[in-house]
Each structure stands twice: as structure tokens, then as C-alpha cells.
């Protein structure tokens, strides 16, 4: 029998990552599978990176790259001109705090891969969906069914949607551990992950949701200076952490619609006054 911890979407929440590492110290596992999105949208990303590097050195880890890592790698040297703003300020802040060795580590990771463990059924790992790092089975109707029908493996492990779920179709199983650092559970103040137990014929998933020090983490947003850089989306992130409601995504959708109404090519072109109105609309 094998026990594996499965995490995804840390999003720089080092407090949630600390709580997870404390949990598996008390409840040992044989290895850790990480499905990507380790940083961005948070204060002090260097603290998250320190924990990740230490985890890799001390535990058997299988790690993927997520879309957030791709954003950073695609903008080394800030090629897209990120700046303090509601649109991309949190990305700008994270990029300034990444060391060359951190970016090199991200670049070394695959976005998907198979994982075979002796005595257990094969697993296929991805951040979003196979072939699409941003494939979101929770938001795109019919995507999960299409992916699972084409899958050549008995199990697919995916993240990105921030929703814990297990689904069985076409004789195969999809497992999403939810988000460790940005749980969308309508509860808030929780870190989500899963424990997989493998035997010769199947994997079983236990979904977990543990508490961590959210109040101390929220203070870091102000102390680090990221509040002044991320602006409206930073406020959305903080309210999401407390409520478990994805105000970050709601703001993005609202601003994309507003930019279209204004005849803009992208929400990044919208003035801060429009972002502030959206923030007021969601009570940020």
C-alpha cells in the first residue's frame, strides 16, 4: 500500500503550505504530488519558495508547472510591462521577488506527465487538463467528459479549478485536490489537499481541509507592501481567503466584460477608476 499527498494551487500562501507540511509530519506519506501554481497573488513569495525547496530536499516529490509559473517564465525581464495596478500588480510583485534559480526550477518542471508506482494503477498528472495547462473542468462545460473519454490512463489528477472533486466516467477516475492556498469552498480560512491510498487495483482519495493562521497571513499583505501594488485584485484575494468565495475570479470576469463594453482590447487597459467601481460592487 502507498500513501501519497496531493496538492495544487498554493498561490504563494506559505502559511497554508506550512500547515500542510506539519500535517504530513504527523501523518506520514510516501511521497508528495504537486500540480503547480506555487506562487503569485500573495505576499513574500520567497517564503513559499524556501518551503518548496526544503520539501524537495527532504521528501520524495513529483512536481508539475502550472499556468502561474508559465506567466512568470513568459515575462522574464518584465517583457509585458507589468506594473503596480489592479490588472497585473500581484504578478509584477511576484516577478520582482523571484531569483534566477527559482525561475530555472520552474522551467525544469513539466506541465504534465505520467506517474507509475510499483504495485498501483498508473496515474496521469496535469495542472489543468492534458494538453491545456489552463483547462478548467469546473468552468468549461463538457471539458471533463471530453478529456476523460480520450484518456489512456485509469486515473487523471488535475488542479487549476480550486474545487475538490472526484468523478468517475468511461471506467476512469478524475481527482482534484482543490487549492491548498486559495480554497474555493464557501467556508474560508482553510487549506485543501488530498491523500491518495494506492493498492494493486485502485487508488482511493481522502479529501482534507485544514485550518491555518489566516489573520497573520492577511497582515503580511500590508506589511509586505503588496497591497499598494495589487490594489483591487489584492482586496479580492483577501476577501476570498476569508470567505471561500472566489471574488478574485468574479472581479476578473466583471472587468473583462466592462473592458468589452468600453471597446478596449483587454481589461489591462481599463483605468483604475473602473477597477475601484468593481471592487465597490463586490464589497471589497
Amino acid at each position: 500500500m502507498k500513501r501519497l499527498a496531493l496538492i495544487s494551487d498554493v498561490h504563494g500562501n506559505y502559511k497554508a503550505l506550512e500547515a500542510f507540511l506539519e500535517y504530513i509530519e504527523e501523518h506520514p506519506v510516501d511521497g508528495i504530488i504537486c500540480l503547480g501554481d506555487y506562487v503569485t497573488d500573495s505576499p513574500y513569495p520567497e517564503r513559499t519558495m524556501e518551503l518548496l525547496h526544503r520539501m524537495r530536499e527532504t521528501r520524495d516529490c513529483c512536481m508539475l508547472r502550472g499556468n502561474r509559473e508559465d506567466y512568470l517564465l513568459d515575462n522574464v525581464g518584465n517583457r509585458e510591462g507589468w506594473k503596480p495596478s489592479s490588472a497585473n500588480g500581484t504578478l509584477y510583485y511576484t516577478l520582482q521577488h523571484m531569483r534566477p534559480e527559482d525561475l530555472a526550477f520552474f522551467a525544469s518542471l513539466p506541465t504534465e506527465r505520467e506517474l507509475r508506482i510499483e504495485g498501483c494503477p498508473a496515474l496521469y498528472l496535469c495542472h489543468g487538463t492534458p494538453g491545456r495547462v489552463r483547462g478548467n473542468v469546473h468552468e468549461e462545460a463538457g471539458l471533463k467528459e471530453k478529456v476523460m473519454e480520450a484518456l489512456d490512463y485509469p486515473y487523471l489528477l488535475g488542479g487549476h479549478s480550486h474545487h475538490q472533486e472526484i468523478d468517475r466516467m468511461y471506467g476512469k477516475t478524475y481527482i482534484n485536490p482543490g487549492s491548498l492556498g486559495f480554497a474555493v469552498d464557501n467556508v474560508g480560512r482553510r487549506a485543501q489537499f488530498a491523500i491518495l491510498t494506492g493498492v494493486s487495483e485502485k487508488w482511493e482519495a481522502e479529501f482534507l481541509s485544514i485550518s491555518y493562521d489566516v489573520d497573520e497571513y492577511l497582515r503580511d499583505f500590508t506589511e509586505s507592501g503588496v497591497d499598494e501594488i495589487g490594489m483591487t485584485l489584492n482586496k479580492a484575494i483577501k476577501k476570498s481567503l476569508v470567505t471561500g468565495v472566489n471574488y478574485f475570479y468574479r472581479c476578473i470576469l466583471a472587468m473583462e466584460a466592462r473592458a468589452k463594453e468600453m471597446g478596449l482590447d483587454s481589461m489591462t487597459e481599463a483605468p483604475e477608476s473602473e477597477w475601484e467601481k468593481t471592487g465597490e460592487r463586490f464589497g471589497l
Side-chain angles (χ1 to χ4, degrees):
M1 184 174 70
K2 291 288 185 181
R3 276 173 50 86
L4 302 176
L6 175 64
I7 68 172
S8 188
D9 297 277
V10 181
H11 284 272
N13 190 337
Y14 75 94
K15 281 294 183 183
L17 183 55
E18 283 179 340
F20 162 73
L21 292 172
E22 289 173 3
Y23 179 91
I24 62 172
E25 190 69 30
E26 297 175 2
H27 306 82
V29 295
D30 298 302
I32 305 172
I33 299 173
C34 311
L35 301 180
D37 276 13
Y38 304 104
V39 291
T40 74
D41 313 317
S42 61
Y44 302 128
E46 58 271 28
R47 297 182 183 178
T48 298
M49 294 308 302
E50 181 181 352
L51 289 170
L52 289 174
H53 290 312
R54 190 184 312 157
M55 182 179 78
R56 291 170 56 228
E57 293 168 357
T58 58
R59 296 184 178 274
D60 185 8
C61 296
C62 177
M63 304 180 74
L64 299 185
R65 186 172 79 240
N67 59 288
R68 291 287 167 166
E69 287 73 57
D70 278 349
Y71 293 165
L72 297 171
L73 292 170
D74 290 344
N75 289 282
V76 172
N78 201 14
R79 288 189 289 264
E80 289 196 4
W82 292 339
K83 62 182 180 180
S85 65
S86 293
N88 48 47
T90 60
L91 294 170
Y92 171 82
Y93 171 85
T94 303
L95 188 60
Q96 307 312 306
H97 286 252
M98 289 291 100
R99 303 172 302 169
E101 51 264 46
D102 296 326
L103 295 173
F105 164 61
F106 290 152
S108 73
L109 300 176
T111 56
E112 57 187 82
R113 59 162 291 184
E114 69 171 24
L115 178 61
R116 295 185 180 273
I117 296 174
E118 186 176 358
C120 299
L123 302 167
Y124 198 76
L125 321 179
C126 61
H127 178 67
T129 57
R132 289 180 55 193
V133 71
R134 295 183 66 189
N136 191 325
V137 301
H138 191 79
E139 299 294 337
E140 188 172 335
L143 178 60
K144 187 195 302 179
E145 290 77 7
K146 180 180 178 181
V147 165
M148 294 303 290
E149 184 176 16
L151 188 70
D152 292 327
Y153 295 82
Y155 289 86
L156 176 65
L157 310 184
H160 188 58
S161 73
H162 294 218
H163 286 270
Q164 285 184 328
E165 61 176 310
I166 183 168
D167 206 348
R168 297 177 177 87
M169 58 183 70
Y170 305 108
K172 309 158 198 175
T173 302
Y174 171 77
I175 301 172
N176 189 318
S179 173
L180 188 72
F182 196 105
V184 179
D185 60 358
N186 294 317
V187 177
R189 299 179 178 273
R190 296 291 186 272
Q192 295 180 330
F193 59 99
I195 300 293
L196 304 182
T197 303
V199 293
S200 59
E201 298 180 356
K202 65 180 179 178
W203 288 96
E204 295 183 348
E206 176 188 5
F207 291 122
L208 295 166
S209 183
I210 62 174
S211 62
Y212 64 96
D213 195 339
V214 176
D215 291 328
E216 182 176 344
Y217 183 55
L218 292 176
R219 287 194 291 271
D220 287 339
F221 280 81
T222 300
E223 294 173 2
S224 67
V226 69
D227 269 344
E228 299 175 1
I229 296 173
M231 302 180 189
T232 298
L233 280 186
N234 234 56
K235 295 177 182 178
I237 291 165
K238 293 195 290 185
K239 187 169 183 177
S240 300
L241 292 170
V242 172
T243 64
V245 177
N246 199 344
Y247 286 99
F248 180 89
Y249 188 56
R250 291 185 180 186
C251 282
I252 293 290
L253 292 180
M255 284 305 300
E256 286 178 343
R258 181 60 182 140
K260 187 175 182 180
E261 290 174 359
M262 297 174 69
L264 303 176
D265 292 333
S266 167
M267 67 178 185
T268 61
E269 298 178 6
E272 280 298 328
S273 59
E274 292 296 329
W275 284 95
E276 291 171 2
K277 291 177 184 176
T278 296
E280 291 172 1
R281 171 182 167 187
F282 291 114
L284 303 182

